[in-house]
């Protein structure tokens, strides 16, 4: 009877797992031994280990060799890319229901190998609990099922490359891999060193669920250059990265000019505020900040901000709670000198220490340390060193708390502690971060959109919002042609002065045209101008200012004065302003259509039709204002989760040559409808229609400085946008060299880019997916988690 029962169970497991079932591994050691502790690449549903490949050893915390991992070369990249193309055809050809079933089957496979996956992740220091991975699979299997139902008009990109740094967790890797698969893409994983073996294990297990060969491939390398080498393959459609900022910047710079979009989520090492108000439960707040700040492996650096009225109480509880804490192991022995230097410098600047014990003679450990009274400009706050250090700053009012919280260049997350819900929500709205946790910290779930603000990322992961980076509108084509990077002198880009640029006194010159800065028309700071000529002929229609870096500076100063107030206006108020702008354009139709007709040599009928389309487009964006505003999220925990879109800030828009008026109305409407301020650069070839639109802007009720117009050289102004730290996003229509320059330089700080080299783009299309794509390019998402008892 027992024998019969055993056979029945085995038969049931075979039915459950299907014909592609992988072997069952009770531990990571059994899996490693099965591969002789030498791991190759996972390509086309099998392991590949060429005999002549270099390898790199992975050691555990005690210095013992866990396994060796092969380093990919060009031949491996080509083989992998070809396999991924075939895998994409097979995977995207399945119905949504079939793809969902495959992902759901992975849940049972992962359950069978829980111990193996958990032990290998712990050994490789690639943190990810099996329960968290199961939750990811369950969530994205649902989206795989509903893609064509809830996300209409969109199609998968093709082959997606997912790159991670050496210090990235397996959870963060899978937060990018699974949504890409759920939307029907094939994926090439280029994992960091710690994620390599777990990623290979999961790819091996996934074959047992019926995932087509080539739908998920894994390539490992000796360093971070492999990510750029894979991106160079013309079959790769999109690259997304997760990990530390330095490696993300290197990837962006290395792929500049290849014609492949790259997004980054540099969450490792971000500085995040932990804010304790006087209305907080102090005991709980102190307990949680100690748990968050003094982990051996910290993904973010916390800065403690305490209201002055409860400062003494918080410090007293910190001393009491920290008295029994053990020293924390440092990741590297060399970190000891960095930690000691940071402590000494903070003390010299007036900080006092709260330590669990004296620093041990061993340089491998350091006691948990709170730096009380640290200054906001202190290096331990601005650029924290590795190790168990927690800077503590004080604030008096709620507004000071927000100022301290926004002091960091990062915008990853924040933790707020207060029993006053109104205060918590007001503070959450005012902080420039992507995730806010109220009376909690480090709460992650795939339904929560994670969108790094400021210098903490250029894409959204998680939630429905995070799916769109792996999709494109069905009616669109790739905006960047695949190519090899051009030989470009980045220091000289945009410095050449195109002819004819002449010093003209625009106040006295006939047919003089002016740009718009801060609500007022003006000439350029340099005093130079350029001739405006029709499309056909050599006659001079007039002279417009030749703007430069100083004009951009003045426009940004005007924009940042009004943008926060514009963003805080209710969506209905912004909608009314856009309706008034459309009405003002309709009233000026004769003037604007005439300038378009003269400049571009189109017929009067065509010019009037373009004005009509522009009016309709502005009305459409007005209607958009109060329609897509996020909402409550279905978290599997007790509490409430909210998500809502926020403006990026100041957006620089360099307009295309085709349909100069309609393209301007389309892009301008998307940007200001979502709460951004805009600096427009008209087509260098056809600036007249946009310059005539200045009259429309002045006749509308938009705040002065919200929309600025600067004329001049496209490349020179693109360079000025790239090098201005306040401009958060650049939308550029121009040359391949200009796109390459922006990809290379818009990394310090990170800017959101929308780039296009297309010269024949059809702006008359009113495809809802195309307009939604523009809207999503104009916002960043914020999630707020509020737990209940």
């Amino acid at each position: 009877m027992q024998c019969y029962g055993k056979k029945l169970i085995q038969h049931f497991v075979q039915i459950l797992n299907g014909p592609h079932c992988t072997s069952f591994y009770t531990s990571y050691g059994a899996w490693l031994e099965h591969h002789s502790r030498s791991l190759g690449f996972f390509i086309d549903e099998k392991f590949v280990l060429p005999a002549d490949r270099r390898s790199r050893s992975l050691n555990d915390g005690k210095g013992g060799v866990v396994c060796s991992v092969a380093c990919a070369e060009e031949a491996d990249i080509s083989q992998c890319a070809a396999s991924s193309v075939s895998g994409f055809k097979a995977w995207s050809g399945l119905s949504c229901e079939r793809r969902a079933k495959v992902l759901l089957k992975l849940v049972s496979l992962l359950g069978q190998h829980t111990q193996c996956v958990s032990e290998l992740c712990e050994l490789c220091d690639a943190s990810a609990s099996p329960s968290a991975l199961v939750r990811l699979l369950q969530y994205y299997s649902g989206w795989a099922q509903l893609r064509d139902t809830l996300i209409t008009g969109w199609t998968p990109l093709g082959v997606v490359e997912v790159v991670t740094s050496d210090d990235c967790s397996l959870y963060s890797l899978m937060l990018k891999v699974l949504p890409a698969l759920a939307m029907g893409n094939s994926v090439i994983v280029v994992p960091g060193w710690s994620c390599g073996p777990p990623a290979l294990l999961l790819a091996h297990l996934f074959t047992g669920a019926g995932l087509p060969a080539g739908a998920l491939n894994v390539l490992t390398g000796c360093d971070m250059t492999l990510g750029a080498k894979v991106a160079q393959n013309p079959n790769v459609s999109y690259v997304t990265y997760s990990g530390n900022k330095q490696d993300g910047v290197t990837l962006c710079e290395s792929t500049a000019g290849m014609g492949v979009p790259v997004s980054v989520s540099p969450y490792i090492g971000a500085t995040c505020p932990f804010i304790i108000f006087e209305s907080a439960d102090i005991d709980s707040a102190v307990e949680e900040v100690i748990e968050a700040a003094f982990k051996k492996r910290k993904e973010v650096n916390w800065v403690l901000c305490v209201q002055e009225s409860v400062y003494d109480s918080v410090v007293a509880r910190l001393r009491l709670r920290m008295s029994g804490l053990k020293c924390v192991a440092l990741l590297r022995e060399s970190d000891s000198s960095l930690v000691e230097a940071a402590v000494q410098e903070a003390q010299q600047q007036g900080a006092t220490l709260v330590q669990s014990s004296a620093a041990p003679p061993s340089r491998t450990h350091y006691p948990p340390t709170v730096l009380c009274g640290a200054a906001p400009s202190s290096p331990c706050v601005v650029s924290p060193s590795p190790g168990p250090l927690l800077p503590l700053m004080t604030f008096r009012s709620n507004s000071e708390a927000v100022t301290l919280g926004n002091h960091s260049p990062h915008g990853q997350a924040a933790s707020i502690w207060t029993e006053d819900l109104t205060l918590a929500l007001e503070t959450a709205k005012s902080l420039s971060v992507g995730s806010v946790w109220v009376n909690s910290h480090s709460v992650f779930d795939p339904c929560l959109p994670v969108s790094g603000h400021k210098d903490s990322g250029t894409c959204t992961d998680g939630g429905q919002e995070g799916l769109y980076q792996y999709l494109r509108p069905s009616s669109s084509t790739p905006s960047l042609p695949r190519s090899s990077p051009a030989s470009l002198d980045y220091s000289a880009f945009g410095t050449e002065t195109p002819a004819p640029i002449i010093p003209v006194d625009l106040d006295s010159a006939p047919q003089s045209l002016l740009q718009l800065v801060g609500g007022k028309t003006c000439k350029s700071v340099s005093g130079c101008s350029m001739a405006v000529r029709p499309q056909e002929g050599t006659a001079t229609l007039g002279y417009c200012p030749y703007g430069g870096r100083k004009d951009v500076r003045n426009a940004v100063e005007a924009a940042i004065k009004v943008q926060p107030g514009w963003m805080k206006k209710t969506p209905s108020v912004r909608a009314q302003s856009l309706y008034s702008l459309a009405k003002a354009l309709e009233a000026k139709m004769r003037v604007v259509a005439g300038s378009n007709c003269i400049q571009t040599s189109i017929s009067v009928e065509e010019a009037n039709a373009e004005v009509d389309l522009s009016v309709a487009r502005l009305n459409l964006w007005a209607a958009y204002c109060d329609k897509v505003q996020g909402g409550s999220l279905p978290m599997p925990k007790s509490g409430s989760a909210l998500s809502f879109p926020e403006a990026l800030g100041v957006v620089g828009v360099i307009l295309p040559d085709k349909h100069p008026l309609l393209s301007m109305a389309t892009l301008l409407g998307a940007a200001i409808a979502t709460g951004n301020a805009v600096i427009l650069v008209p087509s260098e070839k056809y600036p007249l229609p946009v310059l005539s639109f200045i009259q429309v802007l002045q006749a509308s009720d938009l705040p002065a400085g919200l929309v600025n117009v600067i004329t001049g050289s496209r490349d020179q102004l693109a360079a000025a946008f790239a090098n201005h730290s306040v401009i958060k996003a650049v939308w550029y229509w121009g040359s391949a060299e200009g796109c390459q320059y922006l990809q290379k330089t818009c990394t310090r700080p990170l800017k959101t880019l929308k780039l296009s080299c297309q010269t024949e783009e059809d702006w008359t299309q009113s495809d809802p997916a195309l307009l939604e794509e523009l809207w999503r390019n104009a916002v960043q998402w914020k999630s707020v988690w509020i737990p209940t008892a």
Side-chain angles (χ1 to χ4, degrees):
M1 187 68 180
Q2 290 179 350
C3 180
Y4 175 77
K6 184 176 181 180
K7 289 182 179 179
L8 186 63
I9 292 173
Q10 291 175 345
H11 179 66
F12 174 74
V13 170
Q14 289 175 358
I15 294 175
L16 179 68
N17 292 336
H20 299 286
C21 178
T22 59
S23 303
F24 182 79
Y25 299 106
T26 57
S27 68
Y28 75 91
W31 180 73
L32 290 176
E33 290 299 335
H34 179 75
H35 295 281
S36 304
R37 293 190 177 266
S38 295
L39 302 178
F41 322 117
F42 194 80
I43 301 175
D44 225 12
E45 212 174 27
K46 58 184 178 294
F47 279 92
V48 178
L49 183 56
D52 59 344
R53 294 296 182 265
R54 290 184 301 155
S55 63
R56 183 178 170 188
S57 296
L58 178 67
N59 300 330
D60 59 21
K62 298 180 181 178
V65 176
V66 176
C67 62
S68 63
V69 180
C71 298
E73 297 181 1
E74 290 296 333
D76 308 309
I77 294 173
S78 299
Q79 180 185 358
C80 180
S83 169
S84 294
V85 171
S86 300
F88 170 65
K89 292 178 181 178
W91 180 238
S92 61
L94 298 178
S95 66
C96 290
E97 184 179 5
R98 288 282 304 278
R99 286 196 296 268
K101 285 183 177 180
V102 170
L103 293 179
L104 274 177
K105 197 169 184 180
L106 295 175
V107 175
S108 63
L109 283 173
L110 187 60
Q112 295 175 38
H113 298 85
T114 296
Q115 182 179 353
C116 180
V117 174
S118 181
E119 289 178 349
L120 189 60
C121 287
E122 184 177 355
L123 189 69
C124 298
D125 204 15
S127 59
S129 68
S131 61
L133 296 178
V134 166
R135 168 63 180 153
L136 280 174
L137 285 166
Q138 291 174 335
Y139 181 78
Y140 286 114
S141 65
W143 273 116
Q145 176 88 38
L146 298 172
R147 190 199 74 182
D148 289 349
T149 304
L150 298 182
I151 307 178
T152 57
W154 296 75
T155 190
L157 298 173
V159 179
V160 173
E161 180 191 1
V162 178
V163 186
T164 64
S165 62
D166 290 344
D167 47 7
C168 182
S169 68
L170 182 65
Y171 180 87
S172 298
L173 169 66
M174 299 310 293
L175 187 60
K176 288 185 175 290
V177 170
L178 292 178
L181 288 173
M183 293 299 98
N185 301 280
S186 63
V187 178
I188 299 175
V189 177
V190 182
W193 200 234
S194 60
C195 280
L200 289 165
L201 171 60
L202 287 180
H204 188 194
L205 297 179
F206 282 12
T207 61
L211 198 68
L216 178 61
N217 295 321
V218 181
L219 284 178
T220 52
C222 291
D223 52 42
M224 287 299 298
T225 60
L226 178 61
K229 292 176 182 177
V230 174
Q232 198 165 9
N233 189 286
N235 292 312
V236 175
S237 302
Y238 176 65
V239 180
T240 183
Y241 165 87
S242 184
N244 63 59
K245 169 74 183 294
Q246 182 178 353
D247 288 340
V249 168
T250 300
L251 179 65
C252 290
E253 293 177 345
S254 301
T255 56
M258 294 182 183
V260 58
V262 180
S263 68
V264 294
S265 302
Y267 71 96
I268 298 290
T271 300
C272 302
F274 196 105
I275 303 173
I276 302 178
F277 288 99
E278 61 185 1
S279 54
D281 179 348
I282 303 299
D283 289 327
S284 298
V286 169
E287 187 73 24
E288 292 301 314
V289 74
I290 289 175
E291 194 274 333
F294 299 137
K295 295 178 180 178
K296 176 184 176 182
R297 182 187 176 96
K298 293 191 301 181
E299 292 185 342
V300 300
N301 299 299
W302 291 100
V303 174
L304 181 58
C305 305
V306 179
Q307 197 155 13
E308 283 187 353
S309 57
V310 292
Y311 171 78
D312 293 336
S313 177
V314 169
V315 171
R317 284 171 170 79
L318 283 170
R319 292 184 188 277
L320 181 64
R321 180 62 182 82
M322 291 173 59
S323 60
L325 294 183
K326 296 181 180 179
C327 292
V328 177
L330 301 176
L331 294 178
R332 292 170 294 272
E333 187 174 338
S334 58
D335 290 344
S336 177
S337 58
L338 297 176
V339 174
E340 291 173 353
V343 171
Q344 290 177 3
E345 186 169 7
Q347 286 181 298
Q348 291 172 359
Q349 293 180 349
T352 58
L353 305 186
V354 175
Q355 281 185 320
S356 61
S357 62
S362 169
R363 298 180 63 83
T364 60
H365 291 71
Y366 200 84
T369 302
V370 178
L371 305 172
C372 301
S377 58
S378 173
C380 67
V381 176
V382 178
S383 54
S385 63
L389 302 182
L390 177 63
L392 188 155
M393 300 184 290
T394 59
F395 61 89
R396 291 186 294 272
S397 63
N398 301 344
S399 59
E400 280 190 18
V402 172
T403 301
L404 281 181
N406 288 333
H407 177 69
S408 167
H410 307 118
Q412 183 69 27
S415 178
I416 300 172
W417 290 78
T418 176
E419 298 297 316
D420 185 340
L421 183 58
T422 301
L423 173 61
L425 291 176
E426 288 178 352
T427 306
K429 286 283 288 183
S430 301
L431 289 172
S432 298
V433 296
S435 300
V436 179
W437 303 303
V438 178
N439 297 329
S440 56
H441 70 88
S442 307
V443 177
F444 298 103
D445 188 82
C447 79
L448 286 173
V450 179
S451 180
H453 292 205
K454 296 190 289 189
D455 204 24
S456 288
T458 60
C459 66
T460 300
D461 297 314
Q464 180 178 353
E465 296 78 17
L467 299 175
Y468 289 91
Q469 63 176 310
Y470 306 108
L471 299 166
R472 63 173 176 82
S474 302
S475 60
S476 71
T477 57
S479 57
L480 296 176
R482 292 307 308 264
S483 62
S484 297
S487 178
L488 198 62
D489 184 355
Y490 292 99
S491 61
F493 181 83
T495 58
E496 296 181 1
T497 302
I501 304 302
I502 52 177
V504 172
D505 183 2
L506 293 178
D507 294 329
S508 58
Q511 299 174 303
S512 62
L513 305 164
L514 298 174
Q515 56 191 14
L516 181 70
V517 176
K520 299 178 180 179
T521 54
C522 61
K523 56 185 179 181
S524 67
V525 174
S526 67
C528 291
S529 66
M530 60 183 185
V532 178
R533 294 191 170 93
Q535 182 181 21
E536 299 174 358
T538 58
T540 299
L541 300 175
Y543 296 93
C544 68
Y546 186 75
R549 178 178 56 84
K550 293 182 179 179
D551 297 279
V552 171
R553 177 200 63 193
N554 293 341
V556 171
E557 288 178 357
I560 58 177
K561 289 179 181 178
V562 299
Q563 190 273 328
W566 174 250
M567 181 179 65
K568 290 178 181 178
K569 289 183 181 294
T570 63
S572 60
V573 170
R574 292 203 299 268
Q576 289 305 315
S577 294
L578 273 166
Y579 282 128
S580 78
L581 183 64
K583 188 175 181 180
L585 175 57
E586 199 169 17
K588 297 282 186 180
M589 174 182 282
R590 187 173 179 180
V591 174
V592 177
S595 64
N596 196 6
C597 181
I598 293 171
Q599 174 91 89
T600 60
S601 300
I602 61 176
S603 66
V604 175
E605 292 76 14
E606 289 174 320
N608 288 333
E610 186 167 343
V611 174
D612 286 335
L613 281 172
S614 301
V615 171
R617 197 61 50 84
L618 290 173
N619 283 327
L620 183 67
W621 287 124
Y624 248 93
C625 283
D626 57 355
K627 300 302 183 293
V628 186
Q629 293 299 320
S632 178
L633 300 172
M635 283 281 284
K637 301 179 181 180
S638 177
S640 299
L642 307 172
S643 73
F644 39 88
E646 291 189 337
L648 297 172
V650 180
V651 179
V653 182
I654 299 176
L655 297 166
D657 292 334
K658 189 171 184 181
H659 295 300
L661 180 66
L662 179 57
S663 62
M664 181 274 303
T666 303
L667 298 172
L668 173 65
I672 62 177
T674 50
N676 299 287
V678 182
I679 302 173
L680 292 173
V681 175
S683 162
E684 190 175 350
K685 193 175 180 181
Y686 306 125
L688 196 56
V690 177
L691 290 176
S692 65
F693 186 75
I694 290 177
Q695 301 177 44
V696 178
L697 291 170
Q698 292 178 317
S700 71
D701 63 357
L702 292 176
L706 184 70
V707 181
N708 302 275
V709 180
I710 299 176
T711 53
S713 164
R714 171 186 284 134
D715 289 342
Q716 182 176 338
L717 293 172
F721 284 171
N723 294 310
H724 201 296
S725 61
V726 174
I727 295 177
K728 172 60 181 174
V730 179
W731 299 353
Y732 174 88
W733 275 259
S735 64
E737 292 78 14
C739 293
Q740 178 177 332
Y741 176 84
L742 290 169
Q743 286 179 312
K744 175 80 173 181
T745 55
C746 291
T747 54
R748 296 182 176 89
L750 288 169
K751 299 185 192 300
T752 302
L753 299 177
K754 181 172 178 57
L755 308 175
S756 178
C757 298
Q758 293 184 4
T759 57
E760 297 302 321
E761 193 165 349
D762 185 7
W763 291 94
T764 62
Q765 285 192 75
S766 57
D767 182 359
L770 286 171
L771 298 177
E772 184 181 2
E773 182 188 35
L774 271 179
W775 182 88
R776 292 188 178 279
N777 277 308
V779 300
Q780 55 192 357
W781 288 86
K782 176 178 287 184
S783 62
V784 179
W785 166 244
I786 307 170
T788 56

